[in-house]
């Protein structure tokens, strides 16, 4: 079954890194692969994506962004709107990543406004939710996720994706156990009622564990930070993992 593999470069890379990355992206993959580079490399990545798609090595390769603003235009110095992203053949946008919720104090309400903007611009929001270690320790993981889902998701959105990313698993090398992932994904699925939105897992996914995680029940894909920057590892993940 086709899954979603999302690469979140965060604020990493350079012109040379990005060019070399695509020259070495040699894996053949039938999954939906979404690359989310920093804004300055959008044009470059969009060009490489077209080349790969034309060569049929990656029929389902798409460009994604890491954020957008909650207005479509205006006096918002330093910001980028959803329609601008769409102009660059961008199809997806990550919203509410825990780094933005923490470092930029983004609330779920703001994430919901951004998601509405994204949907209006014909982008598919990838809405991140995740509990902190303290919340998990206090037995509040499910309650936290339910609240974030209720407050971050626009009502009746036709198309979006959820990424469950336990904050303590991001960039830490600690992945959630199979039981933790499957029970939380089943819970998220029940919260979504009849909406068939794909649910991705993120948090220290790498070449060794990606194949197992993608086989867990209710896991429709993965959101990968650190390991997506290592082209050898990313090729391995795309080819099925664990070489
Ligand atoms: P990580 O990051 O794979 O480096 O843990 C995941 C993310 O932040 O989306």
């Amino acid at each position: 079954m086709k899954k979603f593999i999302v690469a979140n470069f965060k604020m990493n890379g350079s012109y040379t890194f990005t060019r070399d990355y695509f020259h070495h992206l040699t894996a053949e993959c039938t999954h939906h692969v979404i690359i989310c580079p920093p804004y300055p490399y959008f044009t470059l990545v969009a060009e490489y994506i077209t080349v790969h798609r034309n060569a049929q090595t990656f029929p389902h390769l798409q460009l994604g962004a890491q954020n957008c603003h909650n207005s479509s235009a205006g006096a918002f110095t330093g910001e980028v709107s959803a329609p601008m992203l769409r102009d660059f053949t961008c199809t997806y946008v990550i919203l509410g990543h825990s780094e933005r919720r923490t470092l930029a104090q983004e609330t779920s309400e703001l994430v919901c406004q951004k998601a509405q903007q994204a949907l209006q611009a014909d982008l598919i929001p990838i809405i991140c939710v995740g509990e902190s270690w303290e919340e998990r320790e206090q037995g509040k993981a499910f309650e936290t996720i339910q609240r974030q889902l209720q407050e971050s998701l626009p009502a009746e959105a036709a198309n979006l994706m959820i990424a469950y990313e336990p904050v303590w698993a991001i960039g830490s090398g600690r992945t959630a156990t199979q039981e933790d992932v499957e029970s939380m994904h089943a819970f998220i699925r029940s919260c979504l009622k009849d909406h068939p939105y794909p649910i991705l897992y993120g948090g220290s996914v790498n070449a060794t564990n990606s194949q197992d995680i993608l086989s867990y029940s209710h896991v429709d894909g993965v959101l990968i930070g650190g390991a997506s920057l290592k082209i050898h590892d990313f090729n391995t993940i795309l080819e099925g993992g664990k070489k």
Side-chain angles (χ1 to χ4, degrees), residues 8 10 97-99 165 169-173 202-205 223-227:
N8 176 10
K10 308 192 180 183
H97 189 282
S98 68
E99 283 151 18
E165 298 206 298
I170 295 176
S172 65
S204 297
V205 177
L223 174 48
I224 311 174

Side-chain angles (χ1 to χ4, degrees), residues 16-94:
T16 310
F17 167 88
T18 309
R19 194 192 51 198
D20 291 351
Y21 189 91
F22 280 89
H23 282 154
H24 292 102
L25 187 63
T26 50
E28 295 202 4
C29 183
T30 53
H31 292 306
H32 298 280
V33 180
I34 301 151
I35 310 274
C36 307
Y39 296 137
Y41 309 117
F42 251 50
T43 321
L44 187 62
V45 173
E47 281 165 13
Y48 282 118
I49 285 179
T50 308
V51 171
H52 274 283
R53 276 216 225 117
N54 291 345
Q56 288 293 311
T57 39
F58 271 116
H60 309 292
L61 188 60
Q62 307 272 6
L63 178 62
Q66 300 173 21
N67 183 31
C68 72
H69 196 258
N70 59 327
S71 297
S72 58
F76 301 105
T77 303
E79 295 289 348
V80 174
S81 73
M84 291 171 185
L85 297 174
R86 193 65 196 145
D87 259 355
F88 278 90
T89 67
C90 180
T91 321
Y92 293 86
V93 58
I94 298 172

